[in-house]
Amino acid sequence: MKKAILFILTVLMSFQFLSANSNTEAASDGNVSIEMWTKEGDADGTLQWTMALIEQFMAENPTITVEVVKKTTVDELREDFQTASLAGETPDLLWTVSDHAGPFLTADLIQSVDGLVDLSKFVETVTTAEGSWAVPMSSGNHLMLIYNKDLIQTPPTTTDELIAMGTELTTDDMYGLVYNQTEPFWFVPWLGGFNGKVFAADGVTPTLNTKEMVNALQFVSDLKNKYAIVPQECDYNAADTLFKEGKAAMIINGDWSLGDYEKLFGDKLGVTRIPMVSATKKWPAPYTAGIYLMVPKDIDAAKAKAAAKLIEFFTSKDVQYSQVNDFNRLPGLKAAYDAPKIKESSILKGSSYQLEVGTPMPTVLEMRAVWDGIKPELAQVLAGNISPADAAELMQESAVAGIAAQQ
Amino acid sequence: MSFEIVAKSLSQIGITLALILIAFGIVEAVIFLVYNKVLKAGDKALTGMLLAPAVIGLFLLIVIPLIYELVLSFSNMNLHHFKDPSFGITYFFDNIKRVFTTKILKKMTFWPLLFQTVLWTAIQVTFHVVLGLMLALILNSKIRFKELYKGILILPWAMPPVISGLTWRGEFHSEYGFFNIILRRLFGDAAAIPWMTDGFWNFVAMNITNIWMGVPFMMVICLGALQGVPSEYYEAAAMDGAGKGTRLFQITIPLIKPVLAPSVMLGIIWTFNNFNVPYFINQFMLETSDILVTALYRAAFTYNQYGFAAAFALVIFFILFGISIIYMKKTGALKAVGD
Amino acid sequence: MKKNSTPLIQQDTLIESIIKQIVMIVFSVVTIFPILRIISVSLRPGDRLLSTSLRIIPLDATWDNYITLISNGKFFLWIWNSAIITLITAVIGLSIAAFSAYAVSRWKFRGRSALLLFLLGTQMIPAAMLIIPLFIIATKLSLVNTYSGIILAYSVQAVPFSIWILKGYYDTIPRSLEEAAEIDGAPKMYIFFKIILPLTLPALAVAFLFNFMSSWNEFMLASIMLRKSTMHPWTLGLRDLQGQYQTAWGQYSAGSVLISIPVVFLFYKSSRFLVSGLTMGSVKE
């Protein structure tokens, strides 16, 4: 038996030796190979753009090879990164959404970027007492009101106007407004419009069972059930398709969709703020975040250096400009706000106009439980199965239970 | 796809295969020598040599991961204790206690989840067996276009589950899914069913999907079993004037039961642990559509309660193991293990 | 009543035949409809996945999605990766299982029942739970991003079920066959390869098919083990077409259609074994 064990070990070691040849990247000749995970996708062209940037970067830095790994969803990126960290086989750079900073910081998986770049040159980032944890690639990632100028000339500025115009526009095969109704991210702006917040002042205690929440729930339910200006059940794809087909006059969607819509509608595309809530005289407050670059902890020095170089390249003025021009994303680098398109394009003006009333998305771990608490109950309210008051109570209970489970 | 990539992958795999062969060659030689020289039981050497590759492989890639999970269940590992979890027997009892006493995810506790899982398994296996048997009975009789029907009916089994899962989810779309389009056309807008947001309908949706996916397997099993029934039995019964119904319940079913029993058990195990369908059809994470394994997945990967999830996994495993043992005792399928 | 050798059960009245045909037609339509819908989406222009039209062939049908998918060059790479991983997995898994199942079927040894129970038990492990530890093992052995790593993991995972099927089938082969050959002085392994294995063909085919299908369709473990996009099997490749919110549905469906064709073909080729290979083992004399 001893021999057998000894033997297995030998075999395993030979495997190690075999694969060592192909896997040891930090070779002595100064060449470094790094792996970057990204959340960008094919469908809107951002992945292709990222890949082209990488090619350019590698041409400028012949000693650095970058392997890009695309993750289908942001959740998959988070889950796989945590698993990879557990095994100590992490990528060297993450290109992801800002809210991942919460779980990654809690688990101590990312390193401070203070030493890598001069953060004063960037828009606000994730900062704790210990330091800053991500470099903003873009800012925004926020929802806004997007409309088709063929169908409405002037967009509504208040919810009363929205309902009036919506009722007029909605016919058998046309909707006044479409949006991803059941996704909490699309609900949060309305909550803000009704003066509500998901967390108390401490930033971690959920406050979902409030009068503001009930009002906001009642409002979205009315949009669907009372005024019927939105479709009966509408997810992202349905909303997107209806709007693209000209079967919806307005859509609430994020800045990531602007590139696509601009190609399709050109001058006919209008962008502005989500209409002010008439009852409170307050603008709805979509979450603002952005795409952030994070550096995993415990990667070796040579790789960290290469990753820093890549970050520098991504946040260079040229790349930031290209991001603005090709995808209508607002830059993470302050200096890039002088890009001509930001001043000239009505689309970007509308997007920035909305951004002014946005709220930074909380990046704490507890946010997960809040999202998951809202989602099913929101769907139930829209379906007319439970009252907003009951839903608010259930959301709170569920979020509290979710947070307790994480402790 | 370039030649270079092909060559690279082939050489990598070639080397692996060669290494595996050499490794097992040595393992086999060692076992042979150990049996002959050390144990002085040469006649048993062959058994050991035949089993060695499987035993080593299973040990390395199943048993060790299981031990890892077991160890994890003795810890408090979660995102707050990600790199520095503590281990101890108290954590184990704590984790197990939590499985049974607190909410697994947000609302549901263990028992309703178990009930949902059992209900799901019972519905699925019943439909699979009944429909599979019915189709097999027809296919086993003399009908026209038999091969064509067989070819079509087996298709869901051949389709990759990832693809059929997403397709079915699309068919339950409230606006563009097949069901609601038909319902709207026939009965107007009010007839549309909220497949994705309503707990009950979502459960129905995942059941429909999985019935579609699972019937072909049982149909093939039943067909094989039916073909094993000698026709003399029927002739004798027909002589006695037994009707078709009597023949089915008195002769066919008792005769194919021993063949079906192990397959039904596999069906139970696979359905109980079916992750893909309940997970993908449940787009809005309704807990009413969760079964134990999807709750487990969320506990581990969404809420990152690694220690708790490991303990939960153990509980699920033992429940399923218990159900299987009882089932095997009742049906006599346990003999397959014994003899 | 005519008396002939045809079993009586096969004689249906006209009504019965009609009912049977109706049942068959209904079930065939239900079976094939979702598949036709995938084809339909794959033929739609642009990203127009969503449509309330029920036409299978859209009026403006186009091959664009197929052309785009194939011309991006990665599609064949995915198929190649999947094919090579799956085939080698099936071969390794099947060889391991064929030997062990023979031993389990023919000889009593200590721990045999425990082994069989363990094999059954492996089917009850929630699959998601093995991902993290398997990945850690792969990291320790430097097998991340190698074909070898994923092949080894898949091969072993398929072994228990294969042993189960093969053992049942070996059990039905009378021992007298081997005993006769042994008297003639043939070595045990010679008997196994020359006499037993050829008889087991249907069960081998079924086990091969199961091995093939489970690794052909797997993506959870692959997504963490095979990170390099040049190593992606089709499951991950198609996922690459999906995004957080937007998905290239047309191409996705076109890919699904193309990928399903070889598997469906394989099923038909082996379907004559399926029926006997799966059930023969359970029939005990």
Side-chain angles (χ1 to χ4, degrees):
Chain A
M1 199 57 203
K2 250 188 196 161
K3 270 188 194 166
I5 293 172
L6 208 68
F7 175 74
I8 296 171
L9 285 178
T10 325
V11 175
L12 296 184
M13 276 159 69
S14 58
F15 268 121
Q16 193 132 23
F17 172 74
L18 169 78
S19 38
N21 295 334
S22 55
N23 267 14
T24 319
E25 271 119 0
S28 51
D29 52 4
N31 286 341
V32 192
S33 173
I34 58 170
E35 185 176 317
M36 176 179 90
W37 287 10
T38 178
K39 61 136 197 118
E40 299 298 345
D42 277 60
D44 55 359
T46 46
L47 183 65
Q48 291 85 332
W49 174 69
T50 313
M51 298 305 285
L53 287 179
I54 297 286
E55 288 299 322
Q56 192 192 334
F57 175 77
M58 288 200 289
E60 288 168 16
N61 299 275
T63 54
I64 303 176
T65 315
V66 185
E67 175 78 34
V68 177
V69 175
K70 182 233 163 183
K71 292 289 170 185
T72 307
T73 63
V74 292
D75 275 338
E76 192 180 310
L77 189 144
R78 179 182 58 78
E79 286 163 14
D80 286 358
F81 176 61
Q82 281 162 199
T83 307
S85 303
L86 212 50
E89 183 88 4
T90 60
D92 309 297
L93 184 62
L94 299 171
W95 165 304
T96 186
V97 289
S98 58
D99 31 335
H100 283 170
F104 295 167
L105 266 178
T106 310
D108 191 22
L109 303 180
I110 46 176
Q111 53 174 282
S112 160
V113 292
D114 286 318
L116 297 180
V117 289
D118 176 7
L119 281 166
S120 67
K121 291 199 294 195
F122 292 89
V123 298
E124 214 176 315
T125 178
V126 183
T127 308
T128 64
E130 285 80 34
S132 301
W133 304 94
V135 182
M137 174 72 199
S138 74
S139 63
N141 212 34
H142 56 297
L143 297 172
M144 61 197 85
L145 186 76
I146 302 169
Y147 58 98
N148 181 341
K149 287 181 182 164
D150 274 339
L151 301 171
I152 47 169
Q153 278 70 42
T154 40
T157 51
T158 65
T159 50
D160 287 347
E161 277 177 51
L162 173 74
I163 291 163
M165 291 172 85
T167 323
E168 216 167 284
L169 283 160
T170 305
T171 58
D172 270 352
D173 54 8
M174 164 83 83
Y175 293 105
L177 174 71
V178 290
Y179 70 102
N180 190 3
Q181 294 166 22
T182 36
E183 192 58 48
F185 190 70
W186 272 257
F187 171 72
V188 161
W190 298 121
L191 180 64
F194 281 90
N195 276 320
K197 277 203 160 77
V198 300
F199 286 126
D202 66 354
V204 291
T205 311
T207 51
L208 302 180
N209 190 13
T210 58
K211 199 169 81 260
E212 290 78 17
M213 171 64 86
V214 176
N215 291 339
L217 283 171
Q218 186 64 51
F219 174 76
V220 293
S221 163
D222 284 350
L223 281 186
K224 182 192 153 208
N225 300 318
K226 192 166 156 195
Y227 307 113
I229 63 168
V230 296
Q232 283 303 301
E233 203 176 75
C234 192
D235 61 6
Y236 187 90
N237 278 310
D240 187 54
T241 309
L242 286 166
F243 185 68
K244 280 180 180 165
E245 286 178 346
K247 286 184 182 169
M250 298 171 263
I251 184 171
I252 296 174
N253 209 344
D255 63 353
W256 58 83
S257 65
L258 291 172
D260 223 17
Y261 293 157
E262 190 186 18
K263 261 180 245 147
L264 201 64
F265 293 102
D267 290 347
K268 300 292 177 197
L269 189 72
V271 176
T272 187
R273 276 185 193 171
I274 303 171
M276 179 189 278
V277 175
S278 303
T280 60
K281 298 273 177 290
K282 197 166 180 299
W283 290 102
Y287 273 160
T288 62
I291 295 156
Y292 284 25
L293 302 164
M294 303 178 199
V295 185
K297 218 163 180 148
D298 303 327
I299 59 172
D300 75 47
K303 291 185 179 216
K305 223 170 137 192
K309 247 193 164 144
L310 187 55
I311 292 179
E312 201 181 298
F313 171 73
F314 283 144
T315 53
S316 69
K317 219 167 167 182
D318 284 347
V319 175
Q320 294 280 312
Y321 273 180
S322 137
Q323 182 177 233
V324 175
N325 292 332
D326 299 341
F327 300 102
N328 287 303
R329 286 180 180 171
L330 293 167
L333 184 75
K334 281 180 190 160
Y337 275 83
D338 67 359
K341 194 175 177 187
I342 297 182
K343 292 193 198 76
E344 286 154 21
S345 149
S346 68
I347 295 174
L348 278 173
K349 269 192 257 174
S351 175
S352 317
Y353 180 53
Q354 174 74 74
L355 195 62
E356 286 165 24
V357 291
T359 324
M361 166 144 53
T363 50
V364 291
L365 182 62
E366 284 78 1
M367 199 59 207
R368 173 88 253 157
V370 168
W371 288 135
D372 290 354
I374 298 177
K375 194 169 180 173
E377 306 317 330
L378 175 63
Q380 295 305 315
V381 170
L382 291 170
N385 291 342
I386 53 171
S387 73
D390 291 347
E393 205 179 316
L394 288 169
M395 284 177 186
Q396 177 73 11
E397 250 175 58
S398 146
V400 170
I403 291 171
Q406 288 174 325
Q407 298 307 307
Chain B
M1 189 164 93
S2 69
F3 173 75
E4 193 194 347
I5 290 171
V6 172
K8 213 174 146 193
S9 50
L10 279 181
S11 75
Q12 198 197 91
I13 289 172
I15 294 172
T16 313
L17 277 179
L19 268 175
I20 292 177
L21 277 180
I22 296 171
F24 280 129
I26 302 174
V27 170
E28 299 295 356
V30 169
I31 293 174
F32 183 77
L33 289 176
V34 168
Y35 270 104
N36 278 297
K37 301 275 144 91
V38 185
L39 299 170
K40 305 279 180 213
D43 53 323
K44 285 183 181 154
L46 186 61
T47 316
M49 287 164 70
L50 287 173
L51 285 170
V55 170
I56 293 173
L58 290 171
F59 180 77
L60 208 62
L61 295 173
I62 305 235
V63 176
I64 291 185
L66 283 180
I67 294 175
Y68 175 90
E69 283 298 318
L70 188 68
V71 171
L72 218 53
S73 71
F74 281 82
S75 80
N76 64 345
M77 186 169 157
N78 62 14
L79 274 194
H80 293 283
H81 307 276
F82 191 74
K83 287 182 171 166
D84 53 346
S86 317
F87 296 89
I89 188 90
T90 50
Y91 291 117
F92 178 73
F93 287 122
D94 198 46
N95 285 332
I96 294 283
K97 202 178 107 195
R98 272 184 59 202
V99 171
F100 292 103
T101 53
T102 59
K103 293 166 185 162
I104 299 284
L105 297 175
K106 295 163 309 189
K107 276 190 255 169
M108 288 226 181
T109 54
F110 177 79
W111 299 109
L113 272 172
L114 176 64
F115 172 74
Q116 267 165 221
T117 313
V118 171
L119 183 67
W120 149 261
T121 311
I123 293 175
Q124 287 303 313
V125 176
T126 310
F127 270 96
H128 290 167
V129 173
V130 170
L131 293 180
L133 182 61
M134 185 185 87
L135 295 173
L137 279 168
I138 299 179
L139 284 175
N140 197 40
S141 68
K142 208 179 206 171
I143 58 160
R144 275 168 161 272
F145 314 121
K146 186 193 284 192
E147 289 305 312
L148 175 71
Y149 289 138
K150 217 200 285 184
I152 291 174
L153 290 173
I154 212 174
L155 270 174
W157 190 4
M159 290 292 291
V162 199
I163 292 173
S164 17
L166 272 175
T167 305
W168 274 98
R169 186 165 92 181
E171 298 303 351
F172 291 115
H173 193 283
S174 72
E175 203 64 31
Y176 298 107
F178 167 75
F179 293 99
N180 280 2
I181 293 178
I182 291 288
L183 288 170
R184 282 211 169 89
R185 287 193 185 176
L186 292 180
F187 309 107
D189 273 359
I193 290 174
W195 294 104
M196 284 299 158
T197 46
D198 187 273
F200 172 76
W201 289 112
N202 195 252
F203 191 70
V204 173
M206 71 192 222
N207 272 289
I208 294 177
T209 307
N210 203 52
I211 289 172
W212 184 86
M213 288 165 102
V215 166
F217 175 74
M218 275 301 166
M219 183 186 83
V220 168
I221 297 278
C222 291
L223 202 54
L226 287 173
Q227 285 173 0
V229 178
S231 55
E232 299 91 65
Y233 282 98
Y234 295 117
E235 285 168 27
M239 294 289 188
D240 297 343
K244 294 212 163 167
T246 325
R247 269 186 263 160
L248 175 63
F249 288 102
Q250 305 283 327
I251 302 171
T252 314
I253 291 182
L255 276 175
I256 62 172
K257 225 170 115 184
V259 185
L260 287 193
S263 312
V264 170
M265 189 178 65
L266 271 179
I268 293 174
I269 294 172
W270 289 343
T271 313
F272 197 93
N273 274 350
N274 185 329
F275 173 78
N276 282 335
V277 174
Y279 190 81
F280 284 120
I281 299 293
N282 184 9
Q283 205 176 351
F284 292 113
M285 302 192 291
L286 306 175
E287 273 183 273
T288 45
S289 295
D290 267 325
I291 61 171
L292 288 170
V293 282
T294 56
L296 170 68
Y297 183 86
R298 292 188 211 282
F301 292 98
T302 308
Y303 290 98
N304 309 107
Q305 306 163 265
Y306 299 102
F308 168 76
F312 187 27
L314 280 181
V315 171
I316 297 176
F317 176 81
F318 279 108
I319 287 176
L320 188 52
F321 201 75
I323 293 176
S324 307
I325 296 287
I326 293 169
Y327 173 88
M328 289 196 293
K329 280 212 166 118
K330 287 256 187 242
T331 59
L334 198 60
K335 269 188 247 147
V337 177
D339 64 25
Chain C
M1 207 160 72
K2 255 191 320 186
K3 249 204 170 234
N4 58 19
S5 58
T6 321
L8 294 163
I9 185 131
Q10 297 191 347
Q11 292 177 354
D12 291 327
T13 62
L14 182 66
I15 306 240
E16 279 174 323
S17 300
I18 292 173
I19 293 175
K20 281 181 179 173
Q21 286 294 335
I22 291 174
V23 172
M24 282 287 128
I25 289 170
V26 167
F27 273 85
S28 299
V29 169
V30 170
T31 300
I32 212 161
F33 191 75
I35 299 168
L36 290 180
R37 294 269 287 178
I38 308 180
I39 298 175
S40 167
V41 173
S42 74
L43 293 173
R44 282 182 203 158
D47 278 341
R48 206 155 53 77
L49 159 80
L50 303 171
S51 155
T52 49
S53 154
L54 288 178
R55 296 184 72 92
I56 293 300
I57 309 280
L59 287 173
D60 44 358
T62 154
W63 294 105
D64 281 359
N65 290 317
Y66 290 88
I67 294 164
T68 322
L69 183 72
I70 288 173
S71 61
N72 89 3
K74 280 199 242 154
F75 186 72
F76 289 107
L77 184 64
W78 300 337
I79 300 285
W80 163 257
N81 285 332
S82 272
I84 192 154
I85 290 171
T86 308
L87 285 174
I88 306 284
T89 295
V91 169
I92 296 181
L94 202 56
S95 325
I96 295 179
F99 290 122
S100 334
Y102 187 61
V104 175
S105 166
R106 284 306 189 251
W107 293 287
K108 301 260 180 222
F109 50 88
R110 239 187 314 150
R112 180 171 170 279
S113 298
L115 179 66
L116 279 168
L117 213 56
F118 171 75
L119 292 178
L120 187 66
T122 57
Q123 303 296 301
M124 304 176 197
I125 303 167
M129 294 323 288
L130 293 184
I131 290 176
I132 292 180
L134 275 178
F135 180 68
I136 294 177
I137 293 174
T139 309
K140 296 271 181 278
L141 301 179
S142 304
L143 287 173
V144 178
N145 271 330
T146 64
Y147 294 102
S148 321
I150 201 90
I151 287 174
L152 287 178
Y154 286 167
S155 311
V156 170
Q157 285 180 347
V159 159
F161 186 70
S162 309
I163 294 187
W164 198 259
I165 288 193
L166 288 167
K167 184 241 169 208
Y169 208 89
Y170 288 134
D171 284 351
T172 65
I173 300 172
R175 271 160 207 255
S176 47
L177 273 180
E178 288 137 290
E179 281 156 12
E182 251 171 276
I183 292 167
D184 293 343
K188 277 188 173 129
M189 284 324 284
Y190 178 84
I191 301 173
F192 175 68
F193 279 112
K194 285 287 165 183
I195 301 174
I196 306 297
L197 219 48
L199 285 174
T200 330
L201 198 62
L204 286 172
V206 169
F208 179 87
L209 194 67
F210 268 87
N211 278 311
F212 183 92
M213 294 289 280
S214 59
S215 38
W216 178 260
N217 293 329
E218 209 280 341
F219 65 92
M220 271 203 209
L221 191 61
S223 94
I224 181 116
M225 293 264 280
L226 299 176
R227 293 185 194 166
K228 287 192 175 143
S229 61
T230 50
M231 302 187 86
H232 279 186
W234 74 261
T235 39
L236 296 183
L238 279 196
R239 282 172 72 77
D240 283 352
L241 294 174
Q242 293 172 270
Q244 179 75 7
Y245 295 119
Q246 278 151 320
T247 295
W249 282 111
Q251 284 186 54
Y252 185 91
S253 307
S256 303
V257 172
L258 292 178
I259 278 150
S260 305
I261 292 171
V263 190
V264 169
F265 182 74
L266 185 72
F267 251 79
Y268 285 123
K269 282 286 147 196
S270 50
S271 66
R272 71 195 169 94
F273 296 121
L274 265 184
V275 174
S276 56
L278 267 176
T279 39
M280 267 293 280
S282 327
V283 187
K284 294 283 159 56
E285 296 299 320

